[in-house]
Amino acid sequence: MTALTSVSGFPRIGSNRELKKVIEGYWKGAKTLDDVRTTAKQLRAEHWKLQQEAGIDLIPSNDFSYYDQMLDTAILLGAVPARYQRLGFDQPEDTLFAIGRGYQGDKGDVTALPMKKWFTTNYHYIVPEIESSTQIHLASTKPFDEFNEAKALGIITKPVLIGPYTFLKLARDPQAEELEFDRGLINDIASVYAQVLGKFGELGAQWVQFDEPYLVLDKEDGDVELFKSLYAKILPARGGKVKLLLNTYFGHIADIYETVNLLGFDGIGLDLIEGKDENLAAVDKYGVADGTTIFAGVVNGRNIWRNDYAVSLGVIDALRTKTDNIAVSTACSLLHVPFSTEGETGLEPQVLKHFAFAVEKLGELHDIAVLADQDDTARRDVKALADNQALFDGTRVTPDQAVAKRLAALTADDFVRQPARAERQKLQREALGLPLLPTTTIGSFPQTKEVRAERARLRKGEITREQYDEFIKQQIDECIKHQEQIGLDVLVHGEFERNDMVEYFGQHLNGFLFTKNAWVQSYGTRCVKPPIVWGDVSRAEPITVAWSAYAQSRTKHVMKGMLTGPVTILNWSWPREDVSHELQTQQLALAIRDEVLDLEKAGIKVIQIDEAALREKLPLRKSDWHKKYLDWAIPAFRLVHSAVKPTTQIHTHMCYSEFNDIIRDIDAMDADVISFEASRGDLVVLDAIHDANFETEAGPGVYDIHSPRIPSEAEIEHRIDEILAKMDVNKVWINPDCGLKTRGNAETWPSLEHMVAAAKAVRARLGK
Ligand SMILES: CN1c2c(nc(N)[nH]c2=O)NC[C@@H]1CNc1ccc(C(=O)N[C@@H](CCC(=O)N[C@@H](CCC(=O)N[C@@H](CCC(=O)O)C(=O)O)C(=O)O)C(=O)O)cc1
Ligand SMILES: N[C@@H](CCS)C(=O)O
Ligand SMILES: [Zn+2]
């Protein structure tokens, strides 16, 4: 019998981002809630049928979400903060959207719940709040409704839920530093999950999947106990009717595998891509309990490349020495890959044959499962295996010798900027003549419908490049005029010419390929279309120089150049798998270094090199931080800027501020200034800045740009005071959290006006 095939989760946004379009249409008043529900139902049916046709045995349900699966879980558990319930919406979707994106209208004024990165992905989840008054209970029928919906189509799905351990570890108590896992909360949560299992048993589900990616992180005191107490209560609820798959991904669970194995789950999902060696070693050491099926995650849910069947079969053969109960699975949800390669007519067939998006990965699961049950001799006759092997024989691209030569010629000095930072900071203060507490922004200004529409017209050939450039220049002019009017100190051009901060750079570099439609959900309805690293990377032409030079020519103020750094370009692209990330990042670093030096030549005195994704891709296990990442990521950043003049001020930006543990590594980037997000946790980062004697000047964001809310001047002044209590006033910059591209002009300008006024008020109080 062929091994079972299982999919952890499927993209829900739709082959043509139908879900995004209908929901955004609803928000604008152009679509009704019925339209949203109808599209959602059609998408679910379409996705289930696609998987059925591909021969998948365990097809997920409840992987669909209007906004985010973590938010759905909070709603399922009754963890909806009172302020959203008080809005009193009739329709549950309206409450859900208010939690996800905030609400300002006749029913009230609430900010959204905060978002965070979903482990090391570019997907953001909503961070649930559990207040002491929260009564955890089974509060929604969504998972059951979707199961029944599929059942009515003749498909018995495998419902998927975020597991209780991961939910609790990611939730927070708004009134406390840390969520207290007291017995009551653990019992209440476990009891809801037990009810869910029982109910699925009654409805006729055969398998239910609980996702516990948090198990791949290092364990803190009490974590293993928490996990065991939760599941000791949940597992008996199977009642012999339904099987429970404990699914893990984004790494290995070697440190808890023995415990998990002893608990008697019906299935254990292991990531055999990112956690391959450690997970295989754990299975080898502790074996597999009788009655447990290993869900072998061999099909990568985070890349776009074809699976190497020989490697996957090698993994399955190794597992077979321990158990015959194996299901072939995706290593994580396919949420993180684009929908299908169909329609990517811009790519040569010779290139496209190397790609597998979500739909193509279904075929791979099926092929691997069929091959897994054959011996070596029989496998040799299978065409699918021979065709697959051919993809991995030989070299795909001709190496670029010039790039290799340039890298080989680098010396240790190329990674060190001279003179030392303290000396540079003095020289820059004199050269730039900025006031105390200088004000600036992170780079982008609102990417309005008008800006995007003009770019769409250029793409369709409806306007010429000259007309488009003229339009962008007008946008820059207006943006500069406004910035001057409100009195910002360091100006930006606004990034109007960019579709995205990574795709745009890829479009100007050799070695990249682009898709038409390979969108991946980033948060809510927002998607990204990462470019693909196909060959060796070098700069094809100056990328931003003309725009920055134009902008500088329009003002007497300092105009900040705006670049994306090498680590972020790689992390938000689809990287090659035939060469290391380190090498690809170095190639990118040289390309961006060329751009930095050209900007300097063009008279740009302040250059920001965004490394928004540097913190995000920090390995999940601390033991991997340095040897697997920081030891090459930080030097790559230094390579980008080491050759500039002492008076050229280098800024960097990170959207994520949880870098207390790597504060010295951030300082070792040797930037002159860093700006970063400053939501709730950041007071802690300010302590770290203080304690570590952080050398880099810093701009902890003084207001949250993810919300349309306009912060008052007093509020920002208070925030600046909080910052000054922890930092040397001579090293503080005043800026928002992140770029303003997703905001509207209506809220952007008053917010910035308040920010500048607050900075001036504090300066006046300090007598400066
Ligand atoms: C800073 N962030 C970024 C991340 N990752 C990136 N790669 N880029 C980032 O900026 N990660 C963390 C954060 C938060 N994440 C995001 C992600 C996505 C957006 C966003 O605004 N996305 C847009 C799409 C952006 C884009 O590529 N726009 C194109 C047009 C694309 C399009 O839909 N075109 C239409 C036609 C145009 C029209 O008429 O409107 C079409 O093809 O049908 C462009 O500008 O040219 C989104 O809408 O999802 C923000 C933060
Ligand atoms: N310069 C970019 C950084 C975003 S992380 C922007 O302002 O949008
Ligand atoms: Zn940012």
Side-chain angles (χ1 to χ4, degrees), residues 649-669:
Q649 190 168 65
I650 297 295
H651 289 218
T652 188
H653 162 73
M654 292 182 193
C655 318
Y656 207 47
S657 65
E658 287 184 11
F659 45 65
N660 298 23
D661 293 339
I662 55 164
I663 196 92
R664 290 187 200 285
D665 300 282
I666 303 288
D667 229 5
M669 291 166 79

Side-chain angles (χ1 to χ4, degrees), residues 79 147 173 287 347 436 491 514 540 564 638-640 645 669 678 756:
F147 178 81
D173 178 346
L347 292 168
L436 191 76
L491 310 195
F514 309 92
T564 306
R638 287 203 304 263
L639 177 59
V640 174
K645 292 187 281 196
M669 291 166 79
V756 173

Side-chain angles (χ1 to χ4, degrees), residues 421-613:
R421 181 164 33 206
E423 196 175 325
R424 285 178 346 234
Q425 281 167 344
K426 261 187 256 147
L427 297 170
Q428 288 164 16
R429 228 160 263 152
E430 284 159 23
L432 297 172
L434 296 170
L436 191 76
L437 301 173
T439 53
T440 190
T441 61
I442 308 302
S444 61
F445 271 78
Q447 280 270 335
T448 56
K449 201 170 167 39
E450 194 194 359
V451 173
R452 290 210 199 281
E454 202 65 6
R455 192 155 37 248
R457 267 182 225 125
L458 174 72
R459 263 199 312 271
K460 291 181 201 148
E462 291 168 11
I463 54 167
T464 62
R465 166 63 64 179
E466 288 68 33
Q467 285 170 313
Y468 175 73
D469 286 355
E470 213 37 59
F471 169 82
I472 297 291
K473 281 183 181 168
Q474 277 168 21
Q475 296 290 317
I476 293 175
D477 287 351
E478 275 171 38
C479 188
I480 291 175
K481 201 170 70 203
H482 253 110
Q483 291 176 79
E484 286 178 339
Q485 271 165 4
I486 65 170
L488 279 154
D489 300 306
V490 174
L491 310 195
V492 296
H493 74 285
E495 302 183 22
F496 300 106
E497 76 286 4
R498 301 179 192 181
N499 45 7
D500 173 75
M501 61 185 281
V502 168
E503 195 180 17
Y504 179 78
F505 278 81
Q507 283 164 343
H508 293 80
L509 294 170
N510 295 315
F512 276 85
L513 295 176
F514 309 92
T515 60
K516 288 192 176 145
N517 203 29
W519 292 97
V520 179
Q521 194 176 0
S522 179
Y523 69 86
T525 59
R526 297 277 173 180
C527 298
V528 291
K529 188 153 64 61
I532 299 163
V533 190
W534 176 255
D536 288 330
V537 175
S538 59
R539 192 178 66 147
E541 63 213 357
I543 306 168
T544 62
V545 179
W547 293 122
S548 287
Y550 172 77
Q552 184 64 85
S553 77
R554 309 292 287 171
T555 180
K556 290 196 167 48
H557 284 75
V558 178
M559 177 58 59
K560 181 162 64 165
M562 202 55 59
L563 303 174
T564 306
V567 182
T568 299
I569 296 183
L570 191 80
N571 282 339
W572 288 349
S573 300
W574 299 112
R576 289 164 74 173
E577 292 190 343
D578 56 337
V579 297
S580 69
H581 287 194
E582 176 178 359
L583 179 77
Q584 293 171 74
T585 307
Q586 282 183 351
Q587 294 181 352
L588 281 159
L590 284 181
I592 304 301
R593 177 182 167 101
D594 293 344
E595 186 71 9
V596 165
L597 294 175
D598 279 354
L599 279 174
E600 189 181 58
K601 258 189 241 148
I604 303 299
K605 296 187 174 67
V606 175
I607 303 170
Q608 179 171 307
I609 306 158
D610 290 328
E611 281 296 15

Side-chain angles (χ1 to χ4, degrees), residues 119-424:
F119 300 89
T120 48
T121 72
N122 196 1
Y123 178 81
H124 307 60
Y125 68 93
I126 299 284
V127 184
E129 269 182 20
I130 303 183
E131 301 160 317
S132 42
S133 58
T134 307
Q135 287 291 315
I136 298 291
H137 65 288
L138 182 55
S140 149
T141 55
K142 175 183 182 289
F144 315 120
D145 297 343
E146 290 180 13
F147 178 81
N148 286 332
E149 205 175 289
K151 198 173 165 190
L153 297 169
I155 302 173
I156 297 296
T157 54
K158 171 195 58 169
V160 176
L161 281 89
I162 290 177
Y165 176 74
T166 298
F167 180 81
L168 277 175
K169 292 297 288 181
L170 296 179
R172 68 183 188 104
D173 178 346
Q175 278 111 31
E177 262 311 308
E178 285 199 4
L179 184 62
E180 280 285 326
F181 300 131
D182 63 21
R183 308 298 315 166
L185 181 58
I186 297 171
N187 279 334
D188 291 351
I189 296 262
S191 133
V192 175
Y193 278 86
Q195 280 180 64
V196 168
L197 267 189
K199 175 94 178 150
F200 275 124
E202 285 165 23
L203 292 176
Q206 285 150 15
W207 281 92
V208 173
Q209 171 182 318
F210 287 175
D211 281 353
E212 293 287 15
Y214 209 92
L215 281 183
V216 310
L217 268 72
D218 293 323
K219 310 295 174 294
E220 293 165 7
D221 286 349
D223 282 353
V224 175
E225 278 316 306
L226 170 66
F227 176 78
K228 286 204 296 198
S229 355
L230 286 164
Y231 280 97
K233 292 191 180 60
I234 293 168
L235 281 160
R238 290 172 292 179
K241 284 189 179 161
V242 65
K243 292 181 174 166
L244 180 58
L245 161 60
L246 180 91
N247 198 33
T248 66
Y249 43 85
F250 299 149
H252 69 84
I253 57 162
D255 55 352
I256 195 171
Y257 177 80
E258 186 186 11
T259 305
V260 167
N261 191 39
L262 288 172
L263 279 169
F265 287 94
D266 305 285
I268 302 175
L270 297 177
D271 182 339
L272 295 168
I273 304 282
E274 290 191 75
K276 181 174 153 216
D277 294 344
E278 295 87 347
N279 274 337
L280 284 179
V283 171
D284 192 52
K285 185 165 175 193
Y286 300 109
V288 179
D290 288 345
T292 299
T293 298
I294 292 293
F295 282 64
V298 290
V299 170
N300 198 326
R302 299 185 61 183
N303 77 355
I304 48 138
W305 307 103
R306 280 271 168 206
N307 188 278
D308 185 339
Y309 289 176
V311 173
S312 298
L313 292 170
V315 168
I316 290 169
D317 291 345
L319 290 171
R320 278 268 158 77
T321 62
K322 295 287 160 181
T323 180
D324 282 332
N325 298 330
I326 294 174
V328 180
S329 175
T330 56
C332 65
S333 168
L334 298 177
L335 175 70
H336 310 293
V337 295
F339 195 85
S340 164
T341 60
E342 208 185 305
E344 293 298 345
T345 46
L347 292 168
E348 296 290 326
Q350 284 311 308
V351 167
L352 204 55
K353 71 181 183 187
H354 290 283
F355 298 158
F357 299 172
V359 170
E360 291 73 33
K361 284 177 194 283
L362 301 177
E364 294 187 334
L365 282 170
H366 184 70
D367 284 351
I368 296 167
V370 171
L371 285 160
D373 285 355
Q374 299 177 344
D375 62 23
D376 278 348
T377 322
R379 282 176 189 171
R380 255 181 250 135
D381 295 331
V382 180
K383 186 171 177 316
L385 182 57
D387 289 351
N388 180 266
Q389 273 323 112
L391 293 173
F392 295 89
D393 295 340
T395 327
R396 284 181 200 175
V397 285
T398 316
D400 186 331
Q401 298 302 344
V403 173
K405 230 169 125 180
R406 235 184 127 184
L407 282 175
L410 292 175
T411 67
D413 288 347
D414 292 312
F415 295 83
V416 183
R417 187 173 172 201
Q418 299 291 0
R421 181 164 33 206
E423 196 175 325
R424 285 178 346 234

